[in-house]
């Protein structure tokens, strides 16, 4: 594949939200880059696919396998093994798929010339293939075993395995096995057989294999004393070697360009992320400022209202004092009626001011509490509310006392609690009396107050 424009359509369609389809789109995008030889970009897309996977399954294991192969191409062996291990952890209970990551780990060890470790993992993969009777994998593993024993210079065992591989492989896939057979025959010093198999290995697309073939044939002719033929193969080897060097230089240049493009892409993404973070920080900062401004404005408004209530209350106190000075000019009933009228206004003002305090919230908590919760409330909690009510409604209590001097402090407090419409159970808790004692107090107050005032205080 030379172009990734088609796969980009699918990538854009599924977006960056976690889903199997989105992960598949990014995986195939990575595969397209890998086909183009752009390994850094392939790795980047494989990693995106892993992030987009909604869960663990065989497809995720396949992504890790392909990612590991990319790391192998870049000689990042430790990272490659780690990717293979992650794939193995996903499919460890699936005997049909477990041979792939095991064989991949073995290949990485082989590339590092850790032959015993490689042989161990090839054997594990071989055992899994035998268990599921997957004949398609057997020739590949026989070829792997042959490669190991060739590296260990155990040519006889290497020959046994490559012969099995050749007998099972399809005819159009024998080039690699023929090359391996030729190397083994060279190791056994069976030169005619080595020449035969080197000549059978002809894959014009594999320039590296061609170089190895020419080098092998050169060694065969050299050992046979055919110096002219040896020189011809040596010349052919040098021509191919020069091509490999040019190809290697081009690959390095492409890799540098890919890395530059990848870094540029990352830089753009980083700039976008910084822009988003800056926008979010600015938004949060603006919201915090707005919150502070609103809090200050609301607090200022509340304080103004509180001051206005205090002024109005002070004015009512002045009116009360003036009324006391005029008491000689009026009858007792008229004076009390005016005191009651002033008391109504004072009650509203005191109630408005009390509602601004924390104790009002605590009083509401008592009203909403269950009987069990009421019992658990401390005496200090009740005393705090008691004191706050007495302080807030001192003017109301003073007016009631002027209307009826016979009322005691507890009587006045009970009247205020009733004017506040507190429930009986809350009144009992705040006054720390029994229900019967409260009824008796109410009866005594009824005998002391005028009937209209009593009905105003006790609506029932």
């Amino acid at each position: 594949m030379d172009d990734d424009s088609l796969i980009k359509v699918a990538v854009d369609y599924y977006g960056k939200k976690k889903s199997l389809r989105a992960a598949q789109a990014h995986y195939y995008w990575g595969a397209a880059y890998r086909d183009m030889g752009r390994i850094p970009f392939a790795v980047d897309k494989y990693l995106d696919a892993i992030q987009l996977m909604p869960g663990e399954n065989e497809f995720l294991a396949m992504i890790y396998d392909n990612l590991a192969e990319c790391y192998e191409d870049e000689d990042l062996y430790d990272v490659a093994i780690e990717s293979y291990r992650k794939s193995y952890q996903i499919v460890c209970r699936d005997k049909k798929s477990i041979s792939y990551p095991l064989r991949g780990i073995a290949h990485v060890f082989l590339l590092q010339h850790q032959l015993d470790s490689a042989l161990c993992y090839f054997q594990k993969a071989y055992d899994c293939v035998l268990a599921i009777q997957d004949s398609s994998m057997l020739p590949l593993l026989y070829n792997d075993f042959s490669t190991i024993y060739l590296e260990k210079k155990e040519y006889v065992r290497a020959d046994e395995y490559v012969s099995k591989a050749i007998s099972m492989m399809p005819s159009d896939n024998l080039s690699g096995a023929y090359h391996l057979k030729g190397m083994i025959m060279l190791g056994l010093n069976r030169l005619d057989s080595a020449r035969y198999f080197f000549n059978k290995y002809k894959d014009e697309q594999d320039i590296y294999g061609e170089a190895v073939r020419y080098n092998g044939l050169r060694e065969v002719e050299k050992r046979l004393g055919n110096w002219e033929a040896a020189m011809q193969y040596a010349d052919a080897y040098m021509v191919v070697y020069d091509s490999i060097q040019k190809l290697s230089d081009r690959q390095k240049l492409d890799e540098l360009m890919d890395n530059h493009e990848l870094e540029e892409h990352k830089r753009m993404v980083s700039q976008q992320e910084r822009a988003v973070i800056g926008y979010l920080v600015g938004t949060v900062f603006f919201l915090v400022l707005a919150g502070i401004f609103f809090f200050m404005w609301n607090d200022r408004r509340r304080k103004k209202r509180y001051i206005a209530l205090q002024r109005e209350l002070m004015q009512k106190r002045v009116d009360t004092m003036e009324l006391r000075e005029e008491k000689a000019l009026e009858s007792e009933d008229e004076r009390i009626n005016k005191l009651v009228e002033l008391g109504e206004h004072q009650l509203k003002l005191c109630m408005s001011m009390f509602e601004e305090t924390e104790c009002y919230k605590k009083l509401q908590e008592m009203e909403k509490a269950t009987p069990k919760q009421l019992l658990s409330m401390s005496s200090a909690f009740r005393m705090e509310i008691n004191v706050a009510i007495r302080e807030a409604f001192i003017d109301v209590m003073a007016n009631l006392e002027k209307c009826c001097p016979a009322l005691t402090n507890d009587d006045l407090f009970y009247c205020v609690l009733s004017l506040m419409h507190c429930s009986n159970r809350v009144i009992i808790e705040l006054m720390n009396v029994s229900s019967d004692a409260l009824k008796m107090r109410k009866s005594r107050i009824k005998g002391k107050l005028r009937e209209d005032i009593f009905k105003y205080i006790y609506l029932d």
Side-chain angles (χ1 to χ4, degrees):
M1 183 181 292
D2 297 326
D3 190 3
D4 62 347
S5 57
L6 292 177
I7 192 63
K8 278 185 179 179
V9 176
V11 170
D12 293 339
Y13 178 78
Y14 291 111
K16 285 280 187 178
K17 188 177 181 180
K18 275 194 174 185
S19 70
L20 179 60
R21 294 297 187 188
Q24 288 175 334
H26 281 80
Y27 165 76
Y28 291 120
W29 197 4
Y33 277 129
R34 190 178 175 195
D35 289 342
M36 291 186 283
R38 304 175 72 178
I39 302 301
F41 279 91
V43 169
D44 187 53
K45 300 311 168 188
Y46 285 148
L47 291 173
D48 285 343
I50 291 170
Q51 292 296 321
L52 292 171
M53 277 296 293
E56 292 187 352
N57 53 33
E58 288 186 10
F59 185 73
L60 179 59
M62 185 172 68
I63 298 174
Y64 276 120
D65 284 336
N66 283 270
L67 180 61
E69 290 175 5
C70 289
Y71 288 140
E72 280 185 52
D73 293 341
E74 296 295 302
D75 299 331
L76 301 172
Y77 299 127
D78 291 340
V79 187
I81 285 182
E82 184 62 28
S83 293
Y84 278 128
R85 291 192 191 281
K86 288 179 180 179
S87 174
Y88 174 81
Q89 290 170 0
I90 295 170
V91 298
C92 60
R93 296 181 181 177
D94 184 6
K95 291 186 177 180
K96 291 182 179 179
S97 304
I98 199 172
S99 59
Y100 293 101
L102 288 172
R103 186 166 177 255
I105 293 171
H107 269 294
V108 177
F109 281 126
L110 178 58
L111 289 171
Q112 298 178 90
H113 208 70
Q114 299 180 30
L115 303 180
D116 291 335
S117 297
L119 186 58
C120 175
Y121 278 96
F122 278 135
Q123 186 63 50
K124 289 181 180 180
Y126 180 69
D127 293 339
C128 292
V129 168
L130 288 182
I132 63 173
Q133 299 180 346
D134 184 5
S135 59
S136 64
M137 285 286 291
L138 283 175
L140 299 176
L141 285 166
Y142 287 143
N143 202 72
D144 294 332
F145 282 127
S146 180
T147 303
I148 291 286
Y149 287 118
L150 174 62
E151 291 292 324
K152 292 168 75 75
K153 300 189 184 304
E154 297 180 22
Y155 301 116
V156 175
R157 296 194 68 179
D159 186 41
E160 291 175 2
Y161 281 108
V162 78
S163 297
K164 289 181 180 180
I166 289 172
S167 66
M168 298 180 69
M169 284 182 175
S171 58
D172 58 348
N173 197 29
L174 286 171
S175 295
Y178 285 149
H179 166 256
L180 189 58
K181 182 80 171 180
M183 294 297 295
I184 294 168
M185 292 297 103
L186 187 61
L188 291 170
N189 206 33
R190 293 164 59 178
L191 303 179
D192 290 336
S193 296
R195 178 196 288 157
Y196 171 78
F197 284 107
F198 278 136
N199 281 322
K200 290 199 70 164
Y201 172 61
K202 292 182 179 179
D203 187 352
E204 295 178 357
Q205 294 182 350
D206 186 2
I207 190 171
Y208 299 97
E210 280 293 295
V212 175
R213 183 171 77 89
Y214 286 135
N215 194 47
L217 287 170
R218 180 192 64 79
E219 183 63 24
V220 169
E221 300 302 336
K222 177 183 174 182
R223 290 189 189 182
L224 290 172
N226 299 329
W227 300 106
E228 185 177 351
M231 289 298 295
Q232 290 177 350
Y233 284 124
D235 291 340
Y237 170 77
M238 292 305 297
V239 171
V240 175
Y241 180 79
D242 289 341
S243 299
I244 290 174
Q245 284 297 110
K246 291 178 181 179
L247 182 62
S248 177
D249 292 340
R250 177 60 184 273
Q251 286 177 341
K252 288 180 180 179
L253 181 60
D254 289 343
E255 185 176 346
L256 288 172
M257 292 174 65
D258 285 345
N259 287 333
H260 174 73
E261 191 173 345
L262 184 60
E263 289 300 322
E264 185 67 18
H265 173 70
K266 289 181 178 179
R267 186 184 64 79
M268 290 177 62
V269 171
S270 178
Q271 286 180 343
Q272 291 175 352
E273 290 178 349
R274 285 198 295 270
V276 171
I277 291 172
Y279 172 77
L280 291 175
V281 169
T283 302
V284 171
F285 182 71
F286 173 77
L287 291 175
V288 169
L289 283 180
I292 293 172
F293 175 78
F294 176 78
F295 173 78
M296 293 176 66
W297 173 79
N298 189 58
D299 186 62
R300 183 181 177 85
R301 185 177 64 86
R302 184 181 62 81
K303 287 179 179 177
K304 283 184 176 180
R305 182 169 176 271
Y306 191 78
I307 292 171
L309 289 172
Q310 284 185 322
R311 286 176 178 173
E312 191 173 351
L313 185 60
M314 289 297 296
Q315 183 61 46
K316 295 300 178 185
R317 288 177 181 173
V318 172
D319 293 343
T320 303
M321 292 176 66
E322 290 176 351
L323 184 61
R324 288 173 188 170
E325 293 174 357
E326 297 172 1
K327 63 181 180 180
L329 305 176
E330 298 176 342
S331 66
E332 183 66 18
D333 286 342
E334 288 177 345
R335 185 179 67 81
I336 291 175
N337 287 338
K338 288 189 176 181
L339 284 172
V340 170
E341 185 179 348
L342 282 171
E344 291 177 3
H345 290 294
Q346 285 178 327
L347 175 65
K348 291 179 182 178
L349 290 172
C350 291
M351 193 66 196
S352 298
M353 293 176 67
F354 181 66
E355 287 174 354
E356 300 291 329
T357 66
E358 288 295 321
C359 282
Y360 176 74
K361 296 178 182 178
K362 293 179 180 179
L363 182 64
Q364 295 303 306
E365 288 180 20
M366 289 187 70
E367 290 287 358
K368 296 175 183 177
T370 61
K372 186 176 180 181
Q373 290 173 332
L374 277 176
L375 289 173
S376 65
M377 290 179 179
S378 65
S379 58
F381 182 85
R382 294 193 294 269
M383 182 59 67
E384 182 184 358
I385 298 175
N386 191 312
V387 172
I389 292 174
R390 289 178 184 273
E391 290 178 352
F393 292 88
I394 188 171
D395 292 296
V396 177
M397 294 172 69
N399 275 344
L400 283 172
E401 187 179 12
K402 294 297 180 183
C403 291
C404 183
L407 294 176
T408 65
N409 284 334
D410 287 339
D411 292 340
L412 295 170
F413 185 59
Y414 182 24
C415 291
V416 168
L417 292 177
S418 181
L419 287 168
M420 293 172 67
H421 306 298
C422 294
S423 62
N424 278 339
R425 64 193 189 102
V426 171
I427 294 174
I428 289 171
E429 289 294 326
L430 290 175
M431 297 189 68
N432 196 22
V433 295
S434 65
S435 177
D436 291 336
L438 193 67
K439 289 179 181 178
M440 291 177 62
R441 184 178 296 279
K442 183 176 180 181
S443 178
R444 288 198 303 271
I445 292 172
K446 186 176 182 180
K448 297 176 182 179
L449 286 175
R450 258 176 32 182
E451 184 178 356
D452 58 334
I453 299 175
F454 180 82
K455 287 182 178 180
Y456 171 71
I457 296 172
Y458 299 98
L459 297 177
D460 57 344

